[in-house]
Amino acid sequence: MITRRQANAGILASAAAAATPRLAAAQEAQAITLPSPRNDGGEPLLRALKLRRSTREFSDRKVPLQVLSDLLWAAFGINRPSGDRTAPYWRHVMVIDVYASMADGVWLYEPKAHTLLPHLSEDVRAATGLQDFVGTAPLNLVYVAHGERMTNVPPEDRRLYASVDTGFIGQNVYLFCASEGLASVFRAAVDYAKLARLMRLPEQQFVTFAQTVGYPYG
């Protein structure tokens, strides 16, 4: 007779085996060097503010690499020699990572080199939210916080501080999308535990929000 402990061990082993091909494929994938972000053009700020809105209907048209580069830089890229970012952050401690979930897998944005690092080879867009559109929209940004870096904050308060930083980034994305003619919606309707498992996040990292980006439908 198989004990409960043995059964649980078997389940965990099966899950690990199933995950191995996806992790191996991601490790074999090459980093994507993004083109340099464009620092001019687009709509004036006041016009972008007027155009900013949340949209929940998206075309399946892929976001071009140059536009993706500009978007990620606008979100949380480096905008000065000091290494500081386009969005402010709590106590000068960078706790937020920006992941791009697309049809070809999940990629981690690395601002210092302005590259996308392969994280998962699996298409998990449908798991980045609870609405149907997230599974077909070309891009879902997933914001992940490093709780272990927030050493001066009690664990029960870390989500609050990380959420504030994420909100700054999300507004940058909104304004860029308004300027570029893209649609976007910032979302909290996420199965956080499920998404963290699928993304293989370490124990002290957690998803704060997600944000869908794409071209408007129709």
Side-chain angles (χ1 to χ4, degrees), residues 41-137:
E43 298 285 353
L45 175 59
L46 293 181
R47 173 70 175 164
L49 286 166
K50 182 177 177 63
L51 294 172
R52 192 223 65 82
R53 64 199 62 198
S54 293
T55 304
R56 293 171 178 81
E57 293 184 307
F58 298 87
S59 164
D60 59 3
R61 175 184 169 191
K62 186 176 180 180
V63 177
L65 192 62
Q66 180 66 62
V67 177
L68 180 61
S69 169
D70 297 346
L71 168 67
L72 291 170
W73 179 83
F76 205 38
I78 293 173
N79 67 351
R80 66 202 100 159
S82 64
D84 286 317
R85 306 294 184 85
T86 56
Y89 44 93
W90 172 83
R91 291 191 181 179
H92 213 69
V93 178
M94 297 179 193
V95 301
I96 303 298
D97 282 337
V98 180
Y99 287 83
S101 177
M102 300 183 285
D104 61 354
V106 180
W107 303 78
L108 170 63
Y109 176 51
E110 209 301 295
K112 291 182 180 179
H114 196 57
T115 60
L116 286 173
L117 304 178
H119 182 71
L120 283 180
S121 62
E122 183 182 6
D123 181 1
V124 301
R125 288 177 295 169
T128 65
L130 303 180
Q131 301 100 323
D132 291 340
F133 63 80
V134 303
T136 56

